[in-house]
Amino acid sequence: MATSDLEYSVDQEIADFFEKTTATRTACDNFAKQHLGGNLVPVAVQGVCSHTVYAGPNAEFVVQFRLASLRLNMETANLARSIYGHFAPCVKFLGQLGEVIGCKEPLYIYVMSRVKGISYLDFILAYNAQVSENSPKFSSWRRNLVTDIAKFFALSWKGPQSVDQTYRDNLYHRYKEELDSLLASLPGRFQPFIQESLNLLPTIFSLPMVLLHKDFGVCNIIVNETSCNLVGVIDWAEAEIAPFGLNLFSHQRLISKVHLKTGWMRFDDYVALEDLFWSTFTKETEGLSSDTIRAIKAARIAGLLLSRGFTSRLANMPEPVPIRDDESGAYNMRDLDGLLLNPATRFTDLE
């Protein structure tokens, strides 16, 4: 296949999306113009389950047309806003376009306040050619972001959610079953970590139940385009209430880089940034015991296994199954090896 065949085409992505619905792109565009005005601009990367545009006189709104089967949970969206404030977009449901005909479905319409800034991935791409990644300048940008991310996680810690015992028990058994599945399926080199996560599951569930962003990656972290301070986190569609720390492994991507062929590599300031994160987080949460920190770090490992140990968990994908140690699971295996086993890049508490 030619390289050009592999290039992302936003127009093709949009065309493919509208094959799944009875609503038309014209109807969506007309709706957005009528209700919000301004010139419509499709976002640069579209999702397979939605069509998203910027709208409004100053492009201050995001309008998302989602397949009805993958509608947003407004309770979750409102909860994110109440916990994280301006870091989470304000979301409103505006109605429906289209109807169910055969295998095609209608679209649910949402309008969100636009988080002004650029994704951290775009920030990296914008400056990498101009500023060395290990220079004092880039290091100062990372310090800004890591400090803000630590404060963001502290907001989560300080916003615990009450869940009933049935919810807690069901979640516990789901995680146990999934870890048991990984224990039986993943290569032997990961078994000590999986078994330890199983042993520590009661400890992990002693942590506060919080709203976890399940795709806390460089594309969904929005930063100031000059200072790299955190300005927001987008895409809360997969968020769920679960023990604190299960998504904390994602923080490693901010203080390391990942090469497609060679895997994980730490930036020169990795240790300083890791210390900065924990000192800031501990200060913002007004002090945590060493036992609590150990429990959080155990949750971080369990979360990594539950995330990277399985195929995609997106709602529109097949039921997740344990990854295989072959080409199909190479990227996820790279993350597990890099953060759990490689002495040069694994979590510092494993050294």
Side-chain angles (χ1 to χ4, degrees):
M1 181 179 290
T3 302
S4 59
D5 294 332
L6 298 174
E7 292 177 354
Y8 179 82
S9 167
V10 65
D11 290 331
Q12 187 59 53
E13 190 77 26
I14 292 172
D16 291 344
F17 170 76
F18 280 101
E19 289 295 318
K20 306 170 187 174
T21 175
T22 52
T24 65
R25 183 177 182 180
T26 299
C28 291
D29 288 350
N30 288 341
F31 183 96
K33 288 178 181 177
Q34 178 184 350
H35 287 79
L36 298 166
N39 294 320
L40 304 186
V41 179
V43 300
V45 178
Q46 297 284 328
V48 295
C49 61
S50 62
H51 171 56
T52 309
V53 298
Y54 297 125
N58 299 301
E60 67 269 37
F61 298 108
V62 176
V63 187
Q64 188 169 84
F65 302 87
R66 296 182 65 89
L67 295 173
S69 60
L70 297 171
R71 69 196 68 177
L72 292 180
N73 184 324
M74 287 302 299
E75 184 177 348
T76 298
N78 293 333
L79 182 59
R81 182 75 173 181
S82 69
I83 295 170
Y84 299 102
H86 68 275
F87 289 122
C90 179
V91 183
K92 294 181 180 179
F93 173 64
L94 294 187
Q96 174 182 319
L97 282 176
E99 56 187 335
V100 177
I101 299 179
C103 62
K104 294 190 175 185
E105 53 185 299
L107 300 180
Y108 278 33
I109 310 163
Y110 302 89
V111 62
M112 311 170 194
S113 55
R114 183 178 179 182
V115 179
K116 293 298 181 69
I118 61 175
S119 73
Y120 184 51
L121 176 61
D122 285 337
F123 185 93
I124 294 171
L125 295 175
Y127 287 103
N128 252 357
Q130 309 169 35
V131 183
S132 170
E133 62 191 14
N134 285 312
S135 67
K137 184 62 176 177
F138 226 119
S139 182
S140 70
W141 288 331
R142 284 194 291 269
R143 286 198 302 274
N144 289 343
L145 181 56
V146 167
T147 299
D148 290 346
I149 291 293
K151 293 178 180 179
F152 179 86
F153 274 98
L155 290 175
S156 174
W157 178 269
K158 293 186 287 187
Q161 301 300 304
S162 296
V163 297
D164 60 36
Q165 194 61 43
T166 299
Y167 180 93
R168 182 183 291 271
D169 290 344
N170 288 341
L171 191 64
Y172 184 98
H173 290 303
R174 189 184 100 199
Y175 288 169
K176 184 180 184 304
E177 287 179 359
E178 291 182 353
L179 288 169
D180 281 336
S181 177
L182 293 180
L183 190 64
S185 303
L186 289 190
R189 63 186 185 272
F190 299 118
Q191 289 191 357
F193 302 101
I194 302 168
Q195 187 60 61
E196 184 72 356
S197 291
L198 281 164
N199 295 343
L200 291 175
L201 208 51
T203 300
I204 292 169
F205 269 76
S206 71
L207 293 167
M209 299 290 279
V210 301
L211 182 65
L212 290 182
H213 193 293
K214 300 300 289 293
D215 190 13
F216 195 72
V218 293
C219 292
N220 291 329
I221 294 171
I222 308 300
V223 301
N224 180 283
E225 59 189 16
T226 57
S227 69
C228 202
N229 284 102
L230 180 70
V231 296
V233 178
I234 61 172
D235 195 0
W236 292 83
E238 308 295 329
E240 73 171 353
I241 295 174
F244 180 87
L246 287 171
N247 63 345
L248 194 55
F249 65 89
S250 302
H251 160 68
Q252 295 295 305
R253 185 62 180 84
L254 309 181
I255 58 180
S256 306
K257 66 177 181 179
V258 184
H259 192 280
L260 291 178
K261 291 185 178 180
T262 58
W264 285 77
M265 297 177 63
R266 290 180 176 178
F267 293 123
D268 290 350
D269 55 357
Y270 175 93
V271 173
L273 292 173
E274 182 78 344
D275 290 344
L276 176 62
F277 174 87
W278 287 106
S279 63
T280 303
F281 176 73
T282 302
K283 179 181 178 181
E284 291 292 318
T285 52
E286 300 178 355
L288 298 173
S289 70
S290 57
D291 285 345
T292 299
I293 295 293
R294 280 194 292 271
I296 292 172
K297 290 183 175 180
R300 177 174 64 173
I301 292 175
L304 173 68
L305 289 165
L306 291 168
S307 173
R308 297 298 188 263
F310 287 89
T311 55
S312 175
R313 291 182 180 274
L314 292 177
N316 60 317
M317 300 295 286
E319 191 73 17
V321 296
I323 58 172
R324 298 195 299 269
D325 198 5
D326 58 19
E327 186 176 354
S328 68
Y331 290 153
N332 284 19
M333 285 290 180
R334 174 201 64 193
D335 291 346
L336 294 178
D337 281 322
L339 295 178
L340 295 177
L341 290 168
N342 186 341
T345 59
R346 63 192 179 189
F347 293 131
T348 52
D349 48 302
L350 297 177
E351 295 176 355

